Amino acid sequence: MSQVSMRNGTTTVPVGKKSRNFPNRRIVIELTKPNGEKFVINQKGDLCAVSVRIKRNYGGIDPQAQIAVCNIPQEIMAKFMTQYYAPENPDTIAVYAGYEGMEERMGMMVTQLPLIFYGTILWAIPTTGRPDIWFQMTCNENFWQITHPVMASTFQGNEDDIESVPMTPIEIVNQINDSLGREEIGGQKFLPLQSFTVDTSKLDLFREKFPEEAEPYYKKYDNYAFVGTLGAFLNQELGRFNQMSANIQNGQLKLCPNSAHLSKLITKVEPQYTISAAENNMIGVPYPNPTGVNLTTLFNPRMSPLDTFRLDSHYYTSFNMKYWIQTIEYHLETRGQAFYNHIIARRAEA
């Protein structure tokens, strides 16, 4: 069994293939107690029905997942049931999902399912009675980091000799991120947490394509200080820097230009995907909205917010252009109909 660790980034878990002719859909759940005790669901087959809903947004910093498992053993349910919301020493959950492939290992057909969610269990209770007991879990990817106190300041020195050293927004974010690992903030003791990897690739690419318009993102700010939670900084403070936004996913804090600049940037890059009935398996037809389109595809774990695609629709040919993903919801069921990506996308500026 692969070990899940956000320190090491995204990982996978191997599952045996049930059919040589049909790419069955698979969901594996790994529950872990604070002491390291683990319980794995469905690695050897779809023994339990599982339903997963994960919603990720552009600018999303605290994605939640609603995960339900049917008829797990009573003793396991008792171990992972919560008595109150967001316990101090939470259990963790990892969700792996995808389709069986055709890779062969040691004479067996195996598939490496990708990790699509790793977080803490905030609330877990049974929601139905016998004979089929559904165990419902509300989970959050970054709950403890988002609520953790952080700080940043351009002021340096001691009480007798303090000066302000101007910093760029990226430098301020790096200082905020580093403070997640501190044991003491503002004179108070805290349990240090794992910091994120800060990704500035979208900002850097915008600077490469539009150097003059990108300068506000790299401007140095003087006499700046912040003390509060990481969530408050990302929700309230980050927008001061030219409406910059952040997206957190799988241990990465991705800094992005504002939505208008992001749309403009997409006009200069090749789309990562084509979405049509033939490619990426679009379900039904797209539905245009005032800023783009809403559509559904079969589950693709690689798609995430800020990814780009070109629409190829036979019904709405005038909307066949480049878009970027604003919101994506993974709706997955092992025994129901859904194994989908529900996408809300914004069109790039012409």
Side-chain angles (χ1 to χ4, degrees):
M1 174 76 183
S2 296
Q3 297 297 309
V4 178
S5 173
M6 294 313 293
R7 295 177 184 271
N8 298 324
T10 305
T11 185
T12 60
V13 62
V15 294
K17 186 172 174 60
K18 297 185 295 182
S19 168
R20 289 182 174 269
N21 302 315
F22 188 76
N24 290 293
R25 54 196 185 186
R26 299 291 298 274
I27 302 175
V28 174
I29 306 292
E30 184 181 66
L31 305 174
T32 306
K33 301 293 295 181
N35 63 6
E37 182 182 4
K38 296 181 184 294
F39 178 68
V40 183
I41 301 168
N42 284 357
Q43 188 171 9
K44 295 182 179 180
D46 290 334
L47 303 179
C48 296
V50 176
S51 173
V52 174
R53 279 185 178 268
I54 304 170
K55 190 173 184 179
R56 298 189 182 279
N57 298 294
Y58 160 65
I61 59 173
D62 56 348
Q64 283 200 356
Q66 295 292 333
I67 300 163
V69 184
C70 188
N71 291 338
I72 61 175
Q74 291 279 353
E75 63 274 16
I76 301 301
M77 194 183 308
K79 280 187 178 182
F80 288 93
M81 193 182 307
T82 53
Q83 293 181 320
Y84 49 87
Y85 192 82
E88 290 186 2
N89 295 301
D91 302 325
T92 59
I93 184 168
V95 180
Y96 305 83
Y99 295 91
E100 294 176 346
M102 298 300 291
E103 177 187 355
E104 186 169 345
R105 180 187 297 178
M106 299 178 65
M108 295 181 60
M109 305 299 292
V110 298
T111 297
Q112 295 291 335
L113 289 186
L115 176 72
I116 64 166
F117 181 88
Y118 178 81
T120 56
I121 300 174
L122 302 180
W123 182 245
I125 57 170
T127 57
T128 59
R130 298 178 185 277
D132 293 323
I133 302 176
W134 281 92
F135 189 56
Q136 179 77 41
M137 292 168 280
T138 298
C139 314
N140 190 289
E141 196 168 61
N142 309 301
F143 181 80
W144 296 105
Q145 285 93 337
I146 294 303
T147 57
H148 194 277
V150 293
M151 66 176 297
S153 175
T154 61
F155 297 98
Q156 297 183 9
N158 53 46
E159 293 182 1
D160 299 324
D161 185 20
I162 297 177
E163 63 174 340
S164 180
V165 179
M167 298 167 60
T168 66
I170 293 174
E171 291 171 332
I172 292 172
V173 170
N174 281 325
Q175 194 179 98
I176 287 285
N177 184 50
D178 290 342
S179 68
L180 283 172
R182 297 184 192 176
E183 294 184 1
E184 185 173 318
I185 299 174
Q188 298 185 50
K189 291 287 186 180
F190 295 97
L191 181 67
L193 298 177
Q194 174 67 23
S195 57
F196 295 101
T197 299
V198 179
D199 180 350
T200 64
S201 58
K202 285 287 192 300
L203 286 174
D204 295 338
L205 185 59
F206 186 74
R207 191 181 200 183
E208 176 187 327
K209 302 294 185 182
F210 305 96
E212 292 185 3
E213 293 180 71
E215 282 311 301
Y217 300 116
Y218 296 87
K219 169 187 172 182
K220 287 184 178 289
Y221 288 78
D222 200 4
N223 299 318
Y224 179 83
F226 174 82
V227 177
T229 65
L230 177 61
F233 174 81
L234 295 177
N235 281 323
Q236 301 166 20
E237 292 289 304
L238 198 61
R240 296 187 181 191
F241 309 130
N242 205 34
Q243 295 300 309
M244 182 192 298
S245 69
N247 189 66
I248 298 179
Q249 182 176 336
N250 289 336
Q252 285 191 317
L253 196 164
K254 301 180 180 181
L255 297 179
C256 307
N258 60 52
S259 58
H261 284 166
L262 187 61
S263 292
K264 192 170 185 177
L265 174 62
I266 290 171
T267 65
K268 297 292 185 179
V269 298
E270 288 298 314
Q272 296 163 264
Y273 305 98
T274 296
I275 293 183
S276 67
E279 297 187 56
N280 290 293
N281 299 307
M282 183 166 60
I283 305 297
V285 298
Y287 294 94
N289 64 49
T291 61
V293 292
N294 299 351
L295 53 86
T296 297
T297 72
L298 290 183
F299 176 59
N300 182 342
R302 295 182 299 276
M303 287 185 178
S304 62
L306 302 180
D307 283 354
T308 58
F309 67 89
R310 182 177 295 280
L311 179 65
D312 180 15
S313 170
H314 293 290
Y315 293 94
Y316 296 104
T317 56
S318 61
F319 287 88
N320 288 344
M321 59 185 75
K322 279 195 289 188
Y323 298 86
W324 58 273
I325 296 175
Q326 180 176 351
T327 299
I328 185 167
E329 181 180 358
Y330 307 137
H331 183 189
L332 313 175
E333 297 176 358
T334 54
R335 299 184 187 175
Q337 181 180 4
F339 214 69
Y340 299 148
N341 289 350
H342 298 299
I343 296 170
I344 299 175
R346 292 184 64 164
R347 56 180 171 265
E349 290 184 355

